[in-house]
């Protein structure tokens, strides 16, 4: 049996042209599961190989199974690749997983490009699917495979198999098949200080109930951790076998279990790996304290990011964020004092947004003064509470999945703010935060290497572009 795993172009995920940032960890886990099942997979990345390179892989391999993954903004690219597979390798079963398939499996299947959609965690679902196909290679009825929706052959009826329970022991999963990548150095994480970078997921899930987040739909608000020993062993493998010089944690909520996090820091401190560590995502300000941050700093963690979202308590309540702004301010100051590069994330255009709440967000960002403030327009993704509420109220005025990348223009309006006004506040926030003389001098003082100079110049170009973007 031949399986081809395809990572679609990630350009629409951002809405601006960036170097291919990270390898698709989810597909690499699927590849490892296929190997365990006795299937040697092939992997190809559309951003690295190009559309013609993917077409060549379809023709050369003539696969029995084509698997893709997609977030909402890149779904149309995944769909186009699936149709390409249908033309070149028509006997292949085409399946899609990832956040968008989990959020909207019916819409995904009604597109006609895919035979099946994996919902939630896909590893055990794909393993069962492969076993079914091997036993009955001519059988297309996939009924009974939990976590899989599919179109029945003939009439196209969508069969909705039950959800699959979450994987109870993450240590049972094989390590991601990083050897299938051209190299780790093929990817260019925008905030990396050293290359190559390996991404690690030590846990899955987040307990938060933020209205704009897809995590509850995928993981049900639970956080499950791998054992500390398993995580440390994977980091060692990424260094020894793949040459990683920096480790980026991709977890949604790594510090939710305080004791587990302290034990991880202790184990990494003992290991003395010759790498730096960074967080890809934000931490919750109410899930860290001085001891925990000091432990993270002691192992070489370079940055911490915090999802603040708004400087308005009313907007935070609307978002069900569940944080206190005074605590957020104090946590940011503590992180700065401990020597972390500090990042904060803010949104404009959240439900209930007004000019006053947008101004409060800029004021908080300037007062807290993290090293970097990342300002975004609120994006309602399928499967989230925010999407359902905005759709029901008729506020999705410009909705197009292709335009839901994080740096793209708004696809919605709120009662007291039109899309153009959201973009005004986005530009104003970047201008007021970054063009302060003290902030410019601060960034110049922090430059200690050519790598840091390169990162600062890249950030400057990016922020300048954001200030000039039209709605």
């Amino acid at each position: 049996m031949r399986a081809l795993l395809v990572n679609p172009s990630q350009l629409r995920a951002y809405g601006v042209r960036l170097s291919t940032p990270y390898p698709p960890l989810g597909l690499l886990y699927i590849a490892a599961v296929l190997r365990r099942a006795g299937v040697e997979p092939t992997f190809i990345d559309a951003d690295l190989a190009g559309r013609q390179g993917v077409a060549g892989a379809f023709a050369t391999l003539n696969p029995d199974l084509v698997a893709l993954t997609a977030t909402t903004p890149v779904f149309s690219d995944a769909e186009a690749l699936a149709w390409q597979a249908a033309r070149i390798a028509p006997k292949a079963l085409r399946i899609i997983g990832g956040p968008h398939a989990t959020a909207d499996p019916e819409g995904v299947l009604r597109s006609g490009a895919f035979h099946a959609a994996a919902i939630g965690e896909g590893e055990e679902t794909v393993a069962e699917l492969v076993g079914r196909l091997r036993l009955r290679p001519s059988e297309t009825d996939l009924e009974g495979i939990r976590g899989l929706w599919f179109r029945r052959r003939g009439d196209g009826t969508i069969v909705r198999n039950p959800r699959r329970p979450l994987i109870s022991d993450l240590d049972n999963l094989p390590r991601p098949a990083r050897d299938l990548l051209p190299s780790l150095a093929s990817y260019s994480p925008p905030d990396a200080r050293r290359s190559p970078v390996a991404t690690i997921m030590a846990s899955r899930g987040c307990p938060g109930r933020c209205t704009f987040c897809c995590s509850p739909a995928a993981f049900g608000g639970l956080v499950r951790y791998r054992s500390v020993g398993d995580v440390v062993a994977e980091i060692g493998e990424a260094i020894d076998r793949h040459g990683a010089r920096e480790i980026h944690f991709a977890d949604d909520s790594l510090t939710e279990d305080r004791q587990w996090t302290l034990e991880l820091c202790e184990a990494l401190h003992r290991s003395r790996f010759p790498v730096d560590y960074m967080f890809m995502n934000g931490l919750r300000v109410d899930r860290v304290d001085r001891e925990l941050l000091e432990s993270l700093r002691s192992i070489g963690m370079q940055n911490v990011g915090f999802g603040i979202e708004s400087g308005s308590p009313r907007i935070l309540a609307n978002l069900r964020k569940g944080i206190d702004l005074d605590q957020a301010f104090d946590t940011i100051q503590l992180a700065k004092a401990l020597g972390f590069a500090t990042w904060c994330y803010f949104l404009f255009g959240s439900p209930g947004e007004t000019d006053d709440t947008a101004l409060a967000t800029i004021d908080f960002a300037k007062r807290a003064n993290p090293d970097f403030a990342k300002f975004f327009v609120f994006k309602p993704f399928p499967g989230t509470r925010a999407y359902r509420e905005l759709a029901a109220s008729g506020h999705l005025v410009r909705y197009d999945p292709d335009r839901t990348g994080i740096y793209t223009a708004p696809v919605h309006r709120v009662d007291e703010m039109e899309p153009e006004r959201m973009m005004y506040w986005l530009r104003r926030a970047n201008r007021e935060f970054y063009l302060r003389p003290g902030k410019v001098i601060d960034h110049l003082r922090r430059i200690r290497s050519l790598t840091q100079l390169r990162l600062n110049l890249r950030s400057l170009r990016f922020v300048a572009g954001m200030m000039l973007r039209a709605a």
Side-chain angles (χ1 to χ4, degrees), residues 30-357:
I30 296 296
V33 167
L34 287 170
R35 276 181 173 166
R36 178 182 281 180
V39 176
E40 184 56 38
T42 300
F43 168 81
I44 191 164
D45 192 312
D47 279 327
L48 300 180
R51 184 66 65 88
Q52 292 305 310
V54 177
F58 289 145
T60 302
L61 188 64
N62 192 24
D64 303 292
L65 176 69
V66 172
L68 298 99
T69 185
T71 56
T72 295
V74 306
F75 173 69
S76 65
D77 289 282
E79 183 183 23
L81 290 171
W83 283 122
Q84 187 180 58
R87 293 190 298 271
I88 300 172
K91 72 181 182 69
L93 179 77
R94 303 182 302 278
I95 181 173
I96 186 168
H100 189 69
T102 297
D104 186 21
E106 185 148 351
V108 163
L109 292 176
R110 290 201 184 284
S111 75
F114 298 95
H115 298 107
I119 301 168
E121 293 175 316
E123 291 92 351
E124 293 181 347
T125 299
V126 168
E128 186 174 347
L129 170 65
V130 168
R132 178 78 63 90
L133 294 175
R134 277 178 154 175
L135 287 172
R136 293 177 289 191
S138 62
E139 179 63 65
T140 57
D141 183 3
L142 306 177
E143 196 156 356
I145 299 179
R146 291 179 300 174
L148 193 76
W149 286 25
F150 68 97
R151 288 186 297 114
R152 183 172 281 126
R153 187 176 183 178
D155 61 6
T157 300
I158 294 177
V159 179
R160 302 165 179 83
N161 288 324
R163 285 290 292 254
R164 182 177 292 272
L166 296 173
I167 298 170
S168 58
D169 186 355
L170 296 176
D171 281 7
N172 284 336
L173 292 173
R175 304 269 164 73
R178 294 185 176 88
D179 60 291
L180 293 178
L181 301 173
S183 72
L184 289 181
S186 301
Y187 296 87
S188 181
D191 305 321
R193 300 184 179 198
R194 304 169 70 191
S195 181
V197 172
T199 50
I200 299 284
M201 282 198 75
S203 65
R204 292 185 178 184
C206 177
R209 289 290 186 268
C210 302
T211 64
F212 54 86
C213 184
C214 300
S215 182
F219 302 120
L222 300 174
V223 183
R224 292 155 296 139
Y225 287 86
R226 297 163 57 188
S227 68
V228 167
D230 193 48
V231 175
V232 172
E234 183 181 345
I235 292 173
E237 179 183 287
I239 296 168
D240 295 339
R241 296 188 185 180
H242 306 290
R245 299 180 65 205
E246 191 165 285
I247 303 297
H248 288 199
F249 284 95
D251 304 62
D252 289 329
S253 189
L254 183 74
T255 60
E256 178 65 23
D257 187 328
R258 183 178 183 276
Q259 186 58 39
W260 182 94
T261 307
L262 291 173
E263 291 173 6
L264 175 66
C265 290
E266 182 180 348
L268 291 176
H269 188 76
R270 289 196 306 268
S271 300
R272 299 189 181 279
F273 290 132
V275 293
D276 291 331
Y277 300 93
M278 296 191 76
F279 286 114
M280 289 170 56
N281 300 322
L283 302 177
R284 286 187 62 92
V285 295
D286 56 353
R287 294 296 188 271
V288 295
D289 55 34
R290 176 178 286 276
E291 182 184 10
L292 197 151
L293 288 173
E294 286 177 342
S295 295
L296 289 168
R297 193 75 183 103
S298 74
I299 64 170
M301 185 65 71
Q302 299 298 310
N303 77 319
V304 288
F306 301 108
I308 308 300
E309 322 310 351
S310 177
S312 163
R314 180 173 62 80
I315 298 300
L316 292 177
N318 289 349
L319 297 175
R320 299 193 174 188
K321 183 68 182 179
I323 64 170
D324 176 78
L325 286 171
D326 289 335
Q327 182 183 27
F329 180 88
D330 291 343
T331 301
I332 295 164
Q333 305 317 304
L334 174 60
K336 290 169 62 178
L338 292 174
F340 289 101
T342 50
W343 303 74
C344 288
Y345 306 94
F346 300 96
L347 299 172
F348 292 107
S350 299
E353 189 86 276
T354 65
D355 283 351
D356 287 342
T357 61

